[in-house]
Amino acid sequence: MSEEKAKITRRSYMKYVGGVVAVAVVAAAGYGIYEATKPTPTPMYTVNICTWFGAGLFTALIKEGVKQPLLLEFEKDKNVTVALADFTEDVVREKSLLDATSHTGTYDLWQSGGEVVAQYAVPKYLYPIDDYMKNYTDPKYLDLSDVYPKALEGLKYDGVSYGLPIYYTGPGITYRKDLFEEAGWDRPPNTMEELEEIAKALTKPPNQYGLTTRCKAGEEPGIDVGGFAWAYGGTWFEGGAKTATEIKANKAKPAFNTSEFLEGFKMFCDLSRKYGPPDTPNYTWYEQAEAYKSGLAAMVLPGNWCYWYLVQSATDETIKKNTRFAVPPPGPVRETQNFWSASLFMNADSKDKRAAWEVQQLCAGKKMQETMAASGNTAVTIRSLHRSGPLTELYPKEDLANIEKAMDIADWAYRPYFPEFPEVEILLGNATSAVVAGRDAKTALDEVQDKAYSLMKAHGYYD
Amino acid sequence: MSLKLKSLITNALQYGCLMLVSFVALLPIVWVVMTSFKSDAVANTYPPMFIFEPTISTYSDALTGGLLRFFLNSLIVAAASVTASFAIGLPAAYALARISFRGNQSISFWIISTRMGPPFGFIIPFYLIMSNIHLLDTWTALIVMYLIFNLPFMVWMLKGFIQESPKEIEESAMIDGCSTLGALGRVVLPTIKPGIAATIILSFVAAWNEFMYAVALTSTQAKTLPVATSDFSGSFVTGLRWNLMSVYATASMLPVLVMSIFVQRYLVRGLTLGALKG
Amino acid sequence: MNLTRYRTALFLLPTVATLLAVTIYPLLFALYASVHDWTFYSQTHVWPFVGLRQYQELLLDSDFRNSLLVTAMFCSGSVGLSFFIGLGLGLLFNRPLRGKNFFRTAVMLPLFVTPVVVGFGWRFMLQGRTGLITGYLLPLIGIQVDTVLARGSTALLSVIAADVWNQTPLMFLILLAGLSAIPRDMYEAAQVDGARTWQTFRYITIPNLRHVILIGLFIRTIDAFNASFGTIFIMTAGGPGTATETLPMLGWRIAFLSARFGTASALAMLMVLIMVIVGNLYVRSMR
């Protein structure tokens, strides 16, 4: 009797296992069919770009999944295929990090903000491109003398180039000419005092505010507030040390709580708090832009990335027609800074670096930049495009001249390059957000100073 | 207060509360679905418009942009992982429910605890494993990942259901010559069908909505809906295309919504079956 | 061969083997990483052993303590609110009701919305003057708010609200199931004995529901602790400042922004420990 039962048990267990196996086989077969019917990969090497600018920048190459003529021409010319992997910024950061530390070489080119060069170059995750820049630049695509030198400078680390800029912005004020004239101002402000005056005159809550800044906790405010601190003579580190090498060599301690830095910091925060919309401590670039476009704010500062974006995307005709651009007023010590470039960096584990370089120069070169300009983008990296070409038909000559001026003023040094940079910037950004929301500036900066110092010390800079 | 008045008031309160809750529950959803039918110009206005001319242009934009592929990816990955965890977990649930052996409680707890790991800590090792066996950006990778949190859940719920169903039927079936597995298949399963339905739905939803691991382990081929939906959080030139995002959001909600409307009854009845005895 | 003896083992084998295979390596890896100084800047494969230093640093870090506090507030707020609302809803449904299917479907829908969409939707609705709620609905009933997501306290409340909206249906379902399992005759007997509503509730409903309540709370707590990452990430990303930085947010920040994988692994281990302890408590009280 138990014999029978045992047999039954074994049989039914086999049935169960068999069932599972059958399902697995069917699944595998289905998967196999799927694989077989996938379009065959081209024999050419595919350069993979990891980006968060897909819908913004790379539409010149791939628009909504369809490859554009410029790209098709390039692919035929250089015998490579280009694939775009498009995500949000945080995801790109995560993926680039994972890719780099695990050396999988999944992506050949990473697109990110230029300042990230310090983070990736030090552990040797990036491939230096000086050699390519000198010997393999194809004039059909890239003319290095036409690229803003400051943009190229900002992608070097310790004198070695690692990336090419594909999008470049500097300082600037975007303002409503009509509102200015209404308040009796026929020109943009030339000093910080004038800036405050205009902002005050134009602040009529709850429907109008003088200016708008981005103060959401995180790193964004850090980009902007630093430029103001710079204008008042402040720097992140003692003596203005701006790279990890310099910091280490001079044992330069953080300088966030110097009186100069504090003054510039306070100026930015006061302006934001007094003359910005009440939700400012939660504003990112997006809310900032929306505030301006809805007529809530009369000025956007302090970067020039927003000028073309606001003109192009504003739906209100009055706002569209009356938006102008000016270089921001300098502080008592030097010019007000802002610097940001989106660039392509080459993965040191890329399996075909030459191919990756070709794509890099395509994106930084005039052909692609011109396509960007044609859709109204003024943050192009090519100087000649600000003097002639599609941009001159879309914007007043004066504004373009100001943009060119701003591009030459921009200097990356106000935001030092060292691997711990994002963490420190977040400290600064969080402090800015808190101060704009009401916290005391001095206490906030003291805290930033302490935390930054312990961070730098823990990473061995002062041994 | 007369009884009739009292019950009138109670009823009014009852329906009033329910209407309020339904309103709060439905408002964002209806809003999102509505926005998916707005054109670009209308979607970003202030104040938000309720009356507008609907258009399906956003849907066609989304479809050419790859919505169907993301949808398919999510569907396949969720369905496969739920099926796999059911097949693997059912015998285990039975064993834990019916057989008393040493370590029953501890194994039960261990199984549940595997679900407690925070994603951020384990993304890196999983990424490394997957990249070493060349499974990055494939369905297989995600199916395996989702097994990790669906399997424990499945075992736990099924165990509860099995414990609740009367032992006598099984025993009599086994006396009649059925093997354990046979009894399991022919007797127990039909009894706990609603419970199974409930568990399958909840597991499917969990896999369908999962974000963190999907983001880390997929790139372009196997990208799932939640990842694709989150890509809209800051397209620079186009700003936040609320209407396009709403299309993706609606697509994310659709299958589960439809499923839930059909198996609604099962959900409550299923859970009633006392999976909830742990 | 009589397999029946090994029946238990065979039944358990697939599950245990799968789970072990898939979780053992990452767990060991995370454990290993947590005691080594592994940051993004380390040269590959050169991770100095630092023992428990990273754990120590974490425990002393004010950000960690803040995060513990935020997580505690978030979890208790979200779990508590969804419990009371879920219970109330369950009780409402436990009575004769017309249109039951409609109401039940309506109430359940938020559960199925992707956390990403939940985060976006709520952020959109709460955005200063242009949000559906803050700029449109609240002024209708006379409340003027300037900013919700910019102030720490209201940001935390908003995030809790979004999570409650998203997860209460689950609690509701579980409680409803438990409520419908209570035999009718108990209620009838109570009524015959002249018990009032509150007494019925307290002496019949709650005791019978005890087990179910614990299960509901257990599941909700795990989810609020771990799974709410998506919603919070999209809504406030831990801000303003660190006002909504729960432990998972802090972990993500340490792992992917500061790129300190060693410390992040240590945090992950701590979180697992907390969860196991809490889980144990629940399981014990369910016996």
Side-chain angles (χ1 to χ4, degrees):
Chain A
M1 178 64 166
S2 53
E3 282 276 325
E4 266 181 53
K5 256 210 169 151
K7 260 197 280 177
I8 299 175
T9 313
R10 189 172 2 149
R11 199 192 309 155
S12 42
Y13 194 76
M14 287 324 228
K15 266 205 268 181
Y16 165 70
V17 171
V20 173
V21 169
V23 171
V25 165
V26 169
Y31 189 74
I33 297 176
Y34 166 76
E35 284 290 333
T37 53
K38 251 200 330 205
T40 43
T42 55
M44 299 180 285
Y45 183 74
T46 305
V47 173
N48 286 304
I49 308 179
C50 183
T51 173
W52 47 264
F53 236 153
L57 228 42
F58 289 93
T59 44
L61 299 182
I62 301 183
K63 192 173 179 143
E64 291 179 2
V66 180
K67 290 193 176 176
Q68 302 295 293
L70 172 60
L71 181 61
L72 292 170
E73 209 184 288
F74 169 83
E75 286 183 331
K76 227 171 41 177
D77 189 22
K78 299 286 181 182
N79 214 22
V80 290
T81 18
V82 176
L84 212 63
D86 190 20
F87 311 98
T88 61
E89 193 172 344
D90 292 308
V91 172
V92 167
R93 211 170 281 201
E94 188 182 309
K95 283 185 163 311
S96 319
L97 221 67
L98 287 172
D99 192 15
T101 43
S102 58
H103 293 281
T104 44
T106 312
Y107 300 106
D108 299 274
L109 294 171
W110 297 310
Q111 175 261 309
S112 81
E115 68 279 354
V116 158
V117 69
Q119 238 194 339
Y120 283 67
V122 168
K124 300 210 190 325
Y125 292 128
L126 297 180
Y127 192 74
I129 55 173
D130 286 296
D131 190 39
Y132 285 124
M133 283 170 78
K134 212 159 60 157
N135 301 322
Y136 294 96
T137 306
D138 185 341
K140 228 183 9 214
Y141 292 104
L142 179 65
D143 175 11
L144 281 172
S145 64
D146 203 4
V147 178
Y148 282 105
K150 289 292 191 65
L152 290 173
E153 273 302 307
L155 296 174
K156 288 193 187 171
Y157 189 74
D158 274 350
V160 179
S161 294
Y162 287 100
L164 288 185
I166 51 175
Y167 181 94
Y168 173 51
T169 71
I173 297 188
T174 307
Y175 65 97
R176 289 276 300 279
K177 191 167 153 86
D178 52 337
L179 293 180
F180 268 40
E181 283 169 356
E182 249 174 57
W185 283 83
D186 63 348
R187 61 166 175 83
N190 289 334
T191 66
M192 283 295 184
E193 289 78 26
E194 287 187 359
L195 175 62
E196 182 151 18
E197 216 185 295
I198 298 186
K200 192 161 180 188
L202 291 174
T203 300
K204 305 178 185 130
N207 290 320
Q208 189 177 301
Y209 292 90
L211 48 78
T212 165
T213 52
R214 46 182 177 170
C215 296
K216 179 167 177 180
E219 45 181 16
E220 276 188 74
I223 306 177
D224 295 344
V225 77
F228 266 71
W230 177 269
Y232 280 75
T235 53
W236 280 37
F237 292 96
E238 292 174 344
K242 53 187 194 290
T243 64
T245 332
E246 277 179 34
I247 299 173
K248 226 181 178 155
N250 304 332
K251 300 215 195 303
K253 298 214 273 293
F256 292 107
N257 55 0
T258 56
S259 55
E260 292 87 12
F261 198 95
L262 178 61
E263 226 190 308
F265 178 82
K266 264 177 76 181
M267 184 54 159
F268 181 83
C269 295
D270 285 344
L271 284 174
S272 308
R273 192 189 323 115
K274 289 197 272 196
Y275 311 117
D279 212 6
T280 299
N282 209 43
Y283 270 25
T284 63
W285 64 266
Y286 178 72
E287 283 84 12
Q288 205 185 4
E290 292 301 314
Y292 182 85
K293 284 195 287 184
S294 63
L296 185 61
M299 277 191 279
V300 183
L301 34 114
N304 71 8
W305 54 270
C306 36
Y307 171 64
W308 67 269
Y309 172 68
L310 293 172
V311 173
Q312 292 304 318
S313 63
T315 44
D316 186 327
E317 276 308 310
T318 328
I319 299 184
K320 228 178 157 87
K321 277 209 305 253
N322 285 295
T323 299
R324 288 290 181 276
F325 180 82
V327 175
V333 176
R334 46 198 171 182
E335 73 284 0
T336 309
Q337 269 301 339
N338 205 278
F339 178 98
W340 192 78
S341 70
S343 335
L344 283 178
F345 296 107
M346 198 188 303
N347 187 346
D349 291 302
S350 163
K351 301 188 182 83
D352 186 345
K353 302 191 173 50
R354 180 63 194 278
W357 161 252
E358 300 294 351
V359 178
Q360 238 178 331
Q361 44 168 353
L362 167 69
C363 300
K366 187 157 181 183
K367 281 207 170 77
M368 169 149 149
Q369 297 289 315
E370 191 158 11
T371 321
M372 285 164 55
S375 55
N377 192 334
T378 61
V380 291
T381 57
I382 309 285
R383 187 189 296 272
S384 56
L385 285 174
H386 285 130
R387 296 195 178 159
S388 62
L391 286 177
T392 50
E393 289 158 40
L394 294 168
Y395 303 103
K397 256 192 143 93
E398 213 178 81
D399 287 0
L400 288 177
N402 282 339
I403 291 182
E404 202 185 322
K405 220 161 67 170
M407 301 295 215
D408 282 324
I409 292 179
D411 191 349
W412 65 271
Y414 85 98
R415 267 169 101 208
Y417 285 179
F418 56 106
E420 295 79 5
F421 158 87
E423 279 185 79
V424 178
E425 183 160 68
I426 289 180
L427 287 174
L428 189 57
N430 286 348
T432 313
S433 187
V435 171
V436 174
R439 193 157 182 227
D440 172 53
K442 183 148 188 356
T443 357
L445 278 185
D446 282 338
E447 207 179 281
V448 173
Q449 173 75 6
D450 287 335
K451 286 200 174 143
Y453 179 69
S454 8
L455 178 69
M456 301 299 284
K457 189 157 171 22
H459 283 240
Y461 280 90
Y462 307 126
D463 298 332
Chain B
M1 211 188 291
S2 76
L3 205 60
K4 240 190 170 178
L5 186 61
K6 191 164 169 211
S7 84
L8 204 70
I9 295 182
T10 327
N11 274 338
L13 275 177
Q14 182 185 20
Y15 283 98
C17 282
L18 281 177
M19 305 230 57
L20 179 64
V21 172
S22 304
F23 177 71
V24 171
L26 290 178
L27 181 65
I29 298 179
V30 167
W31 179 250
V32 164
V33 176
M34 227 173 35
T35 314
S36 72
F37 288 106
K38 290 185 178 170
S39 62
D40 278 344
V42 175
N44 294 309
T45 55
Y46 316 95
M49 293 214 249
F50 285 100
I51 310 175
F52 56 93
E53 256 189 57
T55 163
I56 56 169
S57 62
T58 333
Y59 276 91
S60 57
D61 276 352
L63 284 171
T64 52
L67 176 61
L68 209 57
R69 190 168 45 126
F70 303 138
F71 190 88
L72 211 63
N73 286 337
S74 275
L75 192 64
I76 293 177
V77 165
S81 72
V82 170
T83 317
S85 52
F86 180 71
I88 297 180
L90 186 59
Y94 185 76
L96 289 173
R98 288 288 185 238
I99 308 173
S100 70
F101 57 94
R102 219 156 27 112
N104 188 320
Q105 298 281 20
S106 359
I107 292 195
S108 288
F109 187 71
W110 174 75
I111 290 183
I112 272 291
S113 68
T114 53
R115 203 186 167 175
M116 293 181 195
F120 71 84
F122 303 102
I123 284 186
I124 299 167
F126 279 118
Y127 183 85
L128 287 175
I129 299 176
M130 295 301 175
S131 75
N132 279 329
I133 54 182
H134 300 289
L135 275 184
L136 273 182
D137 204 20
T138 61
W139 293 331
T140 324
L142 282 183
I143 296 175
V144 169
M145 285 310 303
Y146 294 164
L147 253 187
I148 300 182
F149 59 76
N150 273 332
L151 190 51
F153 180 68
M154 184 74 74
V155 167
W156 199 42
M157 296 288 272
L158 288 176
K159 172 180 157 202
F161 291 131
I162 297 179
Q163 270 176 336
E164 268 312 296
S165 72
K167 253 184 158 160
E168 301 77 40
I169 310 185
E170 274 167 67
E171 285 171 359
S172 57
M174 285 204 273
I175 293 178
D176 284 346
C178 230
S179 70
T180 324
L181 271 173
L184 178 59
R186 267 179 238 130
V187 174
V188 178
L189 278 188
T191 324
I192 59 174
K193 254 209 306 231
I196 295 181
T199 316
I200 288 190
I201 293 181
L202 290 175
S203 310
F204 187 86
V205 171
W208 180 266
N209 283 340
E210 203 280 331
F211 182 65
M212 281 242 74
Y213 286 113
V215 153
L217 298 176
T218 66
S219 181
T220 46
Q221 296 291 350
K223 202 193 253 198
T224 57
L225 263 183
V227 181
T229 315
S230 77
D231 278 347
F232 294 97
S233 73
S235 294
F236 194 52
V237 171
T238 50
L240 252 169
R241 278 190 77 187
W242 287 108
N243 51 346
L244 189 55
M245 214 205 78
S246 302
V247 169
Y248 274 79
T250 313
S252 307
M253 292 193 281
L254 214 52
V256 182
L257 241 70
V258 169
M259 245 175 47
S260 73
I261 294 181
F262 280 121
V263 294
Q264 246 229 60
R265 288 166 283 145
Y266 287 128
L267 265 177
V268 179
R269 194 144 51 100
L271 292 176
T272 313
L273 271 199
L276 314 175
K277 295 286 172 92
Chain C
M1 181 170 72
N2 188 354
L3 277 182
T4 324
R5 223 164 16 127
Y6 304 109
R7 190 185 40 170
T8 320
L10 284 175
F11 277 19
L12 288 174
L13 188 64
T15 305
V16 173
T18 315
L19 283 179
L20 258 186
V22 187
T23 58
I24 199 75
Y25 172 69
L27 195 64
L28 289 178
F29 185 96
L31 208 57
Y32 182 81
S34 69
V35 291
H36 287 75
D37 183 9
W38 184 25
T39 65
F40 189 49
Y41 334 115
S42 329
Q43 298 304 308
T44 347
H45 302 309
V46 178
W47 310 348
F49 178 76
V50 290
L52 295 174
R53 190 186 80 187
Q54 283 172 158
Y55 286 95
Q56 208 180 13
E57 278 173 1
L58 258 185
L59 291 170
L60 296 174
D61 187 11
S62 63
D63 274 345
F64 174 73
R65 286 192 302 243
N66 172 70
S67 189
L68 268 180
L69 189 63
V70 171
T71 311
M73 288 199 290
F74 175 78
C75 282
S76 47
S78 181
V79 175
L81 269 177
S82 56
F83 172 67
F84 284 114
I85 299 181
L87 186 60
L89 277 177
L91 289 171
L92 282 175
F93 271 80
N94 211 21
R95 310 173 83 243
L97 180 64
R98 268 202 302 209
K100 207 175 210 164
N101 276 325
F102 166 74
F103 283 121
R104 202 168 45 196
T105 317
V107 165
M108 260 181 22
L109 286 193
L111 181 61
F112 302 125
V113 180
T114 320
V116 172
V117 175
V118 174
F120 269 135
W122 275 84
R123 181 166 140 199
F124 186 39
M125 291 196 299
L126 291 173
Q127 205 156 293
R129 289 179 354 141
T130 59
L132 185 63
I133 295 184
T134 49
Y136 208 66
L137 290 178
L138 285 185
L140 278 181
I141 54 176
I143 304 181
Q144 283 287 351
V145 270
D146 283 330
T147 161
V148 171
L149 293 177
R151 228 176 281 131
S153 46
T154 47
L156 190 55
L157 285 174
S158 319
V159 157
I160 293 179
D163 197 44
V164 166
W165 180 85
N166 186 219
Q167 296 289 344
T168 303
L170 184 60
M171 187 65 122
F172 157 66
L173 279 177
I174 295 178
L175 289 174
L176 181 62
L179 279 171
S180 18
I182 302 179
R184 287 279 131 193
D185 31 336
M186 276 206 193
Y187 285 117
E188 282 164 16
Q191 229 176 3
V192 164
D193 284 347
R196 308 236 212 100
T197 332
W198 175 248
Q199 287 173 319
T200 323
F201 185 69
R202 189 159 160 227
Y203 292 111
I204 297 192
T205 317
I206 294 289
N208 274 297
L209 213 49
R210 188 175 147 272
H211 202 81
V212 172
I213 291 181
L214 282 171
I215 297 209
L217 289 178
F218 183 35
I219 297 182
R220 272 300 291 131
T221 311
I222 297 187
D223 280 346
F225 194 72
N226 260 344
S228 51
F229 175 80
T231 314
I232 301 184
F233 185 59
I234 306 277
M235 263 185 92
T236 61
T242 49
T244 58
E245 192 169 63
T246 54
L247 286 172
M249 277 301 317
L250 178 64
W252 190 88
R253 173 157 73 88
I254 298 182
F256 295 110
L257 285 185
S258 313
R260 279 159 37 204
F261 301 131
T263 313
S265 302
L267 181 59
M269 295 283 102
L270 284 178
M271 285 179 70
V272 170
L273 188 65
I274 295 179
M275 269 280 90
V276 168
I277 294 179
V278 170
N280 235 317
L281 284 173
Y282 270 115
V283 170
R284 241 173 255 271
S285 44
M286 281 197 275
R287 287 211 206 111

